[in-house]
Amino acid sequence: MSNVLAVLEQRAGALKQVSHEVLTAARALADALGGSVDALVIGSTGVDATGLGAYGADRVTLVEDEELSLYQPDVFNEVVTAQVRAGDYAAIILAATAMGKDLAPRVAARLDCPLAVDVTAIDGSGGITVTRPAYSGKAIYTAEVTATPCVISVRPNAFTPSENAREAAVETRPAPRPDLRTRTVRVNEPAGERLDVAEASIVVSGGRGLKGPENFKLVEDLADAFGNAAVGASRAVVDAGWRPHADQVGQTGKTVSPQLYIAVGISGAIQHLAGMRTSKVIVAINKDKDSPIFKVADYGVVGDLFEIVPRLTEEIRKVRGG
Amino acid sequence: MKIAVCLKRVPDTETRIKIGADGRSIDEDGVKFILNPYDEYAVEQALQLKDSAGTGEVTAISLGSSASQETIRTALAMGVDRGILLETDALPLDPVPIGKALAAELGSGDYDLIFFGKVAIDDYSHAVGTIVSELLGIPSVSAVGRLEIADGKGTAEREIEGGVEVVEFSLPAVLTAEKGLNEPRYPALRGIMMAKKKPLEIKPVELEEGGLSVVELSVPPARPAGRIVGEGADAVPALVEALRTEAKVI
Amino acid sequence: MARVRPSDTQPLLPLDRIIVRDAPSDESIEVDVLFVGGGPAGLAGAIELAHLVEADAKAAGGLGEISIAVLEKSAALGEHSLSGSVVNPIAFRRLFPDLKDEDFPFRQPVKHEAVYLLTKNRSFRLPTPPTMRNHGNYTASLCEMVRWLGKKAEELGVDVFAGFPAEKLLVSGERVIGVRTAPSGLDRDGRQSSSYTPGTDVVARVTALAEGSRGTLAEAYIQWQEIKSENPQIYALGVKEIWETKKPLDTVIHTLGWPLPGDAFGGSFMYPLEPNVVGLGLVVGLDYRKTNLDTHGLLQEMKRHPLFRPYLEGGEMVEWGAKTIPEGGFYSLPDRRFGHGVVILGDSAGFVNVPSLKGIHYAMQSGIFAARTIFDALKKGETSAPYLASYDELVRDSFITDDIFRTRNMRLAFKSGFVLGGFKSVMMTLTGGRLFGKRIPIETDADVWKQARSPKALQPDGELTFSKVDAVFKSGNATRDTIPSHLITEGDVDREVAEMYASMCPAGVYELVDGKLRVNAPNCVDCKATDVLGPRWMPREGGSGPSYKRM
């Protein structure tokens, strides 16, 4: 009971970045427990699994079916639980993504084993101990796993992918075709509409520093440069009628905690900070270096937003394009 | 249509969290508790489905301490017909035993639909509803943002990274509600008055311990001090570099 | 120099909107007795009445089941309750004769007390005036007391409905027959949104108005019935903060003088709740004489004083709130506090003793008296005015009137300025109120002329001192942003008037933008100062406003 199963995620044949994080976490745990790492990729045919060894997989199993271009919970659950039952695993690790959050409880329930969700750290020295935030990030649990195997979903971005090269044996198997209790029929791409601030993983918000509603174009351009970013606003500009209420971030507006929050021309009254302080990374752009927003910002740029923001947009386009 | 809604009593989002004397749970002194906000969407959806069916019964079920009766009363005031409290002193961190206790109750209820909130804002497990469906052997869709039910079948939409999954299933099923599924109603005065007279059954339950033993509950370290990357547009490359290599968010 | 008389631009209380003669809707709820306002007065009244009904049932008195309801506008009991407070336990003891002081939700007995006269940088200890002695009293949080009373009331079968402001008084002829609660789910322009819920009519045999300071329905009733008082009611505004401190405090502190200007009446307080938790605040009479007086700003300035700063520095401001206090005293009490099917309790009636800074035990005691009167009336099966008149008599023959009468002119004396007022008040204390005992006539706060002065800018540091926006956040105010404005303004007002509102309002509701008055209605914390000097405050969607926890 010292091996670790890493359940990876792919989309359209390409592994997601988060899968490398899962593998990294699995490798570290397996090393601590003295076991090996099995990687499991479920999907349509033609998934490119090369390079998984680089992140620490000892064995890679590709479970393929052309019917499986979409996440089918019943198939995925059956594949994972069958592999766990056939193996000797201390832990099953997957990512706490939309898929992982749905799959992890199914696997834990079917195997009747413990489930630790949204884990930010795993310690394998002396049993398995996990760390996970709770109470909207205001407290952190440290818990010992007292029964194995256990299912662990790891929070995206919490584990930094690191290479740990080894020769990985790759095996390909067909997927089972159980009755589908739930059937995912399609994935609708977002219809070009901007994401809601409460849901987006990147939020760019503008405030009074923009001087007028027409200048929100700068904020929108920056959001577009990121691809899937939402545009938010401070209460002052919403009250002034520059932006709709739905965009307002703050205590009386929406509470957001994206991966990246960029505050443009927002001074940062507490009521605004209350709505975004749990964001993972906060960037502030403001001309007044004494603005309270800089007190919560991880990165600040002081100066004229009318020069800084277009430049940032340009740089982000370069990064995303390249 | 027979519908169950599972509820949790949680600390208000604005509550300042203080760690209790045992170092493993929060200090509940002075904490205001509310109905888990995601469960409100679940309640609303159940009520709307019952209303549009024109007939049926909605049952609210909560697992928790005696104080959870108050939470059930909130749902009764919104229009739920009856309540069941599965009374237990403490809930384990591992969601699996919680799912088992609820499944034991729900399995005997002959429900067409079972709603949960997608996540409780205290422990953030995002798991119990899905566990229940698995234990009952019925379909489930988690984090449902749109729902249509007709002729014993359902179509649900759930947001995933960069898209919306469209999922079909047949009843009975478990659905966990995402924000935006609907606009939950406010309990009306008359509803609160009537809620006091609605049946609320209390059943003591014994939970398994589960496989997670809490060693410590702690307050996260203060956010590391930020830094001013620079002044003016010339600082932008340094900012982008920091976001890529330090913060790793782009 | 420009002068402003606030009443010149103050809209009238819209009686036609508040007092309605519609027949109650078919959906109405009927109760026997309705307490409007879940504060100390309303809850003490509900509890006493429930006790009496229970005793009657035990003694086979034949009254039968009596339904008692309490309507409270805040989302949960106590969230709009704010007081100093150092509480006199007498009303708790009378309400719960079987309980001991330790059973009550007080924080700690007053051990030490001190009164200081402040100058900008110094403080001078004064002898504690007899009216301000607090031996035997307790520091407490009104929020906590109210929540505790609410639990007791519910245990006795009282229906407590939090989150339902009473918006209209339902009348039939001269009789009050109940209230209509405020609707919820209106959008900014007053249109019904998808979550619209209409108000509910609550019909009662007796309606007890216990809305607190400057209660809208009580004001409307008094105006409608043309109930007179010898003096008009006057008010003070208190702004209060709760701090978790590094340095413990064991003394109840009051101060006079700085930072108030000489022509304003008021003072500050700092009370220990726990060794390292203090409540501190500043109270200023709204008859102040310059338009730029800003109670919130003065409190921020005051915290920098060497008397306060050492306690606060390195600590954390955890809560902020504001509330008006009726200060007129004896001569401002309405001539009658009852009518057909109605009684008026607590702060809504003006039962506050300013020199001793006390109101809670008077409020509770008035609730107890009202309950006894209502109980007798229900027994007789008749709740018209003559059957409720004994409420006024009970109050008149009690310590409420004794105390308030004894200090009847002390606050009013300060109308003649701080020094002369101080002298007169000392003489009054020495003579039990007999010297200078003749009524000092006063005008309403809104009729007092104020000299126009430009607003003072506050430079908050975010650690010891806070902006109004940050303060509102610390009040727990999470009012829906898309709510329609509940404040009635008089169209475009002069710059001086707008600046007066902006300075006066501690919650930053009023702003002067491009020379025009802007109203940020969701900021409002229901302190009612605006209703005293300017735009009228109307009840709004339930659950709006602050959510005080330990105020």
Side-chain angles (χ1 to χ4, degrees):
Chain A
M1 288 287 250
S2 52
N3 298 339
V4 179
L5 178 64
V7 180
L8 307 184
E9 220 171 303
Q10 55 85 28
R11 183 117 183 236
L15 281 168
K16 287 190 172 182
Q17 164 72 14
V18 73
S19 293
H20 296 133
E21 297 167 26
V22 170
L23 264 183
T24 303
R27 182 74 255 163
L29 179 60
D31 285 348
L33 298 174
S36 60
V37 174
D38 292 356
L40 181 60
V41 187
I42 309 167
S44 181
T45 46
V47 173
D48 179 9
T50 54
L52 289 183
Y55 290 91
D58 295 298
R59 282 177 298 276
V60 179
T61 306
L62 296 174
V63 177
E64 297 184 338
D65 189 327
E66 65 263 17
E67 300 282 298
L68 282 186
S69 57
L70 303 175
Y71 166 60
Q72 300 294 354
D74 299 307
V75 182
F76 281 50
N77 190 6
E78 182 150 326
V79 171
V80 176
T81 49
Q83 171 128 1
V84 174
R85 283 183 176 133
D88 177 31
Y89 297 105
I92 300 101
I93 302 184
L94 29 61
T97 53
M99 183 193 105
K101 283 180 189 161
D102 189 78
L103 181 57
R106 291 177 194 275
V107 172
R110 194 169 290 185
L111 295 173
D112 191 11
C113 71
L115 170 62
V117 184
D118 218 16
V119 165
T120 52
I122 307 172
D123 180 0
S125 59
I128 302 174
T129 303
V130 295
T131 303
R132 50 168 305 229
Y135 300 98
S136 319
K138 288 184 271 191
I140 297 173
Y141 277 111
T142 306
E144 204 177 309
V145 175
T146 57
T148 52
C150 67
V151 178
I152 296 171
S153 71
V154 295
R155 172 177 277 206
N157 294 316
F159 293 82
T160 308
S162 67
E163 302 211 356
N164 195 337
R166 57 202 63 220
E167 276 307 312
V170 179
E171 171 206 13
T172 303
R173 277 195 276 136
R177 291 195 170 178
D179 284 345
L180 296 187
R181 292 199 288 243
T182 59
R183 180 188 297 275
T184 307
V185 290
R186 62 176 181 276
V187 171
N188 295 338
E189 302 299 329
E193 263 179 48
R194 225 171 251 300
L195 279 175
D196 190 280
V197 284
E199 290 158 359
S201 63
I202 297 177
V203 176
V204 187
S205 282
R208 249 178 195 166
L210 283 157
K211 298 200 171 118
E214 65 284 359
N215 295 329
F216 256 81
K217 178 87 173 57
L218 291 177
V219 174
E220 285 169 354
D221 287 349
L222 178 54
D224 286 341
F226 280 109
N228 222 1
V231 172
S234 72
R235 174 155 162 187
V237 307
V238 170
D239 278 353
W242 299 0
R243 302 296 294 181
H245 279 285
D247 290 0
Q248 184 177 323
V249 172
Q251 200 231 348
T252 56
K254 286 176 176 157
T255 302
V256 304
S257 50
Q259 291 293 313
L260 174 60
Y261 187 91
I262 303 182
V264 177
I266 294 177
S267 65
I270 293 187
Q271 77 89 20
H272 183 78
L273 302 185
M276 43 64 83
R277 74 194 145 80
T278 53
S279 305
K280 187 169 182 231
V281 174
I282 297 170
V283 173
I285 299 168
N286 201 301
K287 68 173 189 301
D288 176 7
K289 68 172 172 29
D290 295 323
S291 307
I293 192 78
F294 286 120
K295 286 191 181 156
V296 298
D298 299 284
Y299 304 104
V301 179
V302 180
D304 182 359
L305 68 89
F306 294 98
E307 288 171 14
I308 297 166
V309 175
R311 180 75 188 276
L312 181 58
T313 304
E314 192 183 309
E315 292 289 327
I316 295 295
R317 279 199 193 115
K318 271 191 223 158
V319 172
R320 303 269 308 181
Chain B
M1 174 143 349
K2 224 180 149 191
I3 306 173
V5 189
C6 295
L7 310 176
K8 189 173 187 187
R9 175 178 180 263
V10 298
D12 194 359
T13 38
E14 294 307 319
T15 300
R16 298 172 78 222
I17 295 295
K18 274 192 183 164
I19 307 300
D22 66 355
R24 290 197 290 263
S25 59
I26 61 162
D27 179 356
E28 294 193 356
D29 191 32
V31 171
K32 180 181 169 190
F33 285 87
I34 57 168
L35 168 61
N36 178 39
Y38 289 96
D39 299 351
E40 287 184 20
Y41 301 107
V43 171
E44 179 63 37
Q45 200 60 34
L47 293 174
Q48 286 185 10
L49 283 168
K50 179 191 152 185
D51 286 350
S52 63
T55 168
E57 187 190 50
V58 180
T59 305
I61 302 174
S62 186
L63 177 67
S65 68
S66 166
S68 296
Q69 287 179 64
E70 204 183 304
T71 313
I72 295 175
R73 290 274 174 218
T74 305
L76 294 176
M78 288 172 77
V80 166
D81 299 295
R82 64 188 187 102
I84 300 171
L85 170 63
L86 304 176
E87 190 174 347
T88 179
D89 289 343
L91 298 176
L93 182 59
D94 182 0
V96 175
I98 296 171
K100 285 183 184 172
L102 284 166
E105 172 63 33
L106 290 160
S108 60
D110 200 21
Y111 297 104
D112 300 302
L113 282 167
I114 300 171
F115 283 98
F116 285 79
K118 77 157 183 180
V119 70
I121 61 164
D122 52 357
D123 59 21
Y124 252 84
S125 276
H126 204 298
V128 175
T130 311
I131 290 171
V132 166
S133 76
E134 199 59 39
L135 296 173
L136 295 178
I138 60 175
S140 72
V141 187
S142 57
V144 174
R146 265 188 75 178
L147 180 65
E148 276 169 45
I149 301 281
D151 307 325
K153 288 193 169 57
T155 306
E157 293 184 9
R158 58 189 299 259
E159 193 182 313
I160 60 169
E161 295 80 7
V164 175
E165 264 182 9
V166 182
V167 184
E168 292 175 353
F169 58 94
S170 57
L171 270 49
V174 173
L175 302 163
T176 77
E178 169 67 288
K179 196 190 243 176
L181 177 59
N182 50 48
E183 178 108 12
R185 67 194 70 186
Y186 294 97
L189 196 51
R190 172 164 280 279
I192 296 173
M193 199 97 173
M194 289 181 349
K196 304 203 180 209
K197 301 192 179 83
K198 289 178 179 173
L200 201 173
E201 197 182 342
I202 299 174
K203 301 180 180 177
V205 290
E206 289 284 334
L207 261 64
E208 293 174 14
E209 273 177 31
L212 290 180
S213 163
V214 176
V215 179
E216 188 188 22
L217 184 67
S218 57
V219 175
R223 220 189 167 92
R227 63 185 169 92
I228 301 287
V229 179
E231 293 197 11
D234 293 343
V236 167
L239 172 66
V240 172
E241 187 59 20
L243 291 175
R244 284 184 67 180
T245 57
E246 277 177 33
K248 299 189 174 70
V249 286
I250 53 175
Chain C
M1 180 168 312
R3 294 198 305 164
V4 169
R5 187 167 62 179
S7 58
D8 292 344
T9 44
Q10 182 170 44
L12 294 175
L13 192 64
L15 288 192
D16 51 333
R17 259 172 66 181
I18 302 168
I19 296 184
V20 294
R21 291 184 169 74
D22 314 353
S25 82
D26 301 341
E27 296 279 284
S28 69
I29 290 173
E30 278 184 39
V31 297
D32 291 303
V33 182
L34 173 66
F35 290 87
V36 179
L43 290 170
I47 289 168
E48 177 73 1
L49 183 58
H51 279 152
L52 292 168
V53 170
E54 199 176 68
D56 182 78
K58 272 199 190 125
L63 184 57
E65 208 172 289
I66 292 292
S67 56
I68 308 167
V70 176
L71 287 181
E72 164 56 36
K73 67 184 162 77
S74 63
L77 277 189
E79 294 192 346
H80 288 185
S81 298
L82 183 152
S83 180
S85 65
V86 174
V87 65
N88 178 329
I90 183 170
F92 272 93
R93 291 178 189 151
R94 291 191 177 180
L95 194 55
F96 300 100
D98 300 337
L99 297 184
K100 294 193 168 54
D101 281 7
E102 304 86 81
D103 301 326
F104 299 133
F106 304 145
R107 282 308 189 111
Q108 41 180 264
V110 174
K111 283 182 279 226
H112 312 285
E113 53 190 323
V115 180
Y116 295 94
L117 177 66
L118 299 190
T119 62
K120 189 161 194 297
N121 295 310
R122 301 183 63 188
S123 51
F124 303 91
R125 176 110 187 235
L126 302 176
T128 303
T131 50
M132 287 172 75
R133 285 184 196 150
N134 277 301
H135 184 74
N137 296 334
Y138 294 85
T139 64
S141 149
L142 185 58
C143 301
E144 291 172 354
M145 291 189 283
V146 162
R147 279 198 289 269
W148 186 88
L149 289 170
K151 273 216 180 76
K152 292 284 174 198
E154 287 191 313
E155 283 164 21
L156 288 162
V158 174
D159 283 319
V160 179
F161 300 110
F164 294 95
E167 183 192 48
K168 296 179 193 304
L169 201 59
L170 302 177
V171 301
S172 170
E174 298 292 297
R175 187 182 179 89
V176 173
I177 57 168
V179 303
R180 180 172 298 159
T181 62
S184 58
L186 291 172
D187 73 10
R188 211 168 235 222
D189 303 317
R191 288 183 303 243
Q192 300 177 4
S193 74
S194 60
S195 61
Y196 174 75
T197 314
T200 304
D201 291 350
V202 185
V203 177
R205 291 161 73 189
V206 184
T207 302
L209 300 176
E211 303 159 281
S213 181
R214 196 83 178 177
T216 304
L217 300 192
E219 285 283 300
Y221 180 77
I222 289 167
Q223 285 192 18
W224 172 52
Q225 290 285 304
E226 297 177 0
I227 301 174
K228 300 288 177 238
S229 54
E230 293 193 58
N231 273 341
Q233 186 57 276
I234 56 172
Y235 295 86
L237 172 62
V239 179
K240 180 182 169 187
E241 296 177 356
I242 306 266
W243 279 74
E244 289 183 354
T245 62
K246 290 271 183 282
K247 184 177 166 185
L249 176 73
D250 62 357
T251 305
V252 162
I253 289 174
H254 292 106
T255 77
L256 303 166
W258 188 89
L260 294 187
D263 52 11
F265 174 81
S268 85
F269 61 88
M270 180 159 69
Y271 302 150
L273 282 175
E274 292 170 22
N276 286 81
V277 178
V278 304
L280 109 150
L282 182 68
V283 179
V284 185
L286 290 175
D287 55 354
Y288 58 83
R289 304 302 171 92
K290 293 184 188 73
T291 57
N292 65 351
L293 188 133
D294 173 350
T295 310
H296 172 80
L298 290 172
L299 174 63
Q300 302 312 306
E301 210 175 315
M302 189 186 93
K303 289 184 288 182
R304 297 192 179 120
H305 191 279
L307 183 67
F308 298 103
R309 190 173 190 136
Y311 289 99
L312 308 177
E313 214 150 40
E316 188 189 353
M317 194 264 270
V318 291
E319 236 184 289
W320 177 97
K323 191 94 182 154
T324 50
I325 304 160
E327 285 206 328
F330 181 79
Y331 292 117
S332 297
L333 298 178
D335 286 345
R336 66 178 162 90
R337 280 87 66 179
F338 66 93
H340 293 299
V342 66
V343 287
I344 303 174
L345 317 182
D347 276 8
S348 289
F351 297 137
V352 169
N353 187 8
V354 175
S356 69
L357 311 167
K358 294 280 177 293
I360 295 170
H361 68 294
Y362 301 121
M364 290 176 68
Q365 189 62 48
S366 73
I368 294 171
F369 287 145
R372 291 178 188 166
T373 298
I374 294 166
F375 175 76
D376 289 343
L378 293 173
K379 288 281 277 187
K380 290 176 187 139
E382 180 52 72
T383 56
S384 60
Y387 291 84
L388 298 173
S390 64
Y391 166 58
D392 266 6
E393 286 157 28
L394 288 171
V395 171
R396 197 168 300 142
D397 299 338
S398 74
F399 68 82
I400 301 179
T401 308
D402 285 354
D403 291 1
I404 296 178
F405 183 71
R406 198 175 301 127
T407 60
R408 59 195 176 278
N409 270 329
M410 282 194 195
R411 165 68 177 93
L412 310 184
F414 283 90
K415 290 270 178 190
S416 51
F418 184 75
V419 177
L420 188 55
F423 167 73
K424 285 183 183 169
S425 118
V426 169
M427 295 313 290
M428 289 172 198
T429 307
L430 292 175
T431 61
R434 283 181 294 276
L435 195 59
F436 303 109
K438 193 163 160 286
R439 178 176 72 94
I440 300 174
I442 54 169
E443 51 201 340
T444 66
D445 295 317
D447 281 330
V448 174
W449 285 95
K450 298 186 194 305
Q451 294 171 352
R453 291 277 191 281
S454 315
K456 284 179 240 174
L458 172 72
Q459 287 296 342
D461 60 22
E463 278 164 16
L464 187 65
T465 56
F466 299 90
S467 72
K468 289 182 176 180
V469 175
D470 290 353
V472 172
F473 170 70
K474 291 284 189 182
S475 75
N477 184 343
T479 304
R480 196 161 55 83
D481 267 305
T482 47
I483 202 166
S485 175
H486 62 299
L487 300 161
I488 306 172
T489 49
E490 185 81 334
D492 282 338
V493 294
D494 290 344
R495 182 183 186 91
E496 289 80 13
V497 174
E499 286 178 345
M500 175 181 71
Y501 295 165
S503 299
M504 164 193 68
C505 174
V509 169
Y510 304 98
E511 260 185 301
L512 200 65
V513 178
D514 303 331
K516 290 208 163 168
L517 180 67
R518 215 189 52 209
V519 182
N520 303 309
N523 277 17
C524 180
V525 294
D526 293 13
C527 78
K528 312 276 184 81
T530 179
D531 194 64
V532 177
L533 290 185
R536 291 289 177 170
W537 181 97
M538 290 290 118
R540 52 181 167 161
E541 181 174 302
S544 300
S547 54
Y548 300 141
K549 290 172 187 67
R550 283 192 287 185
M551 276 293 173

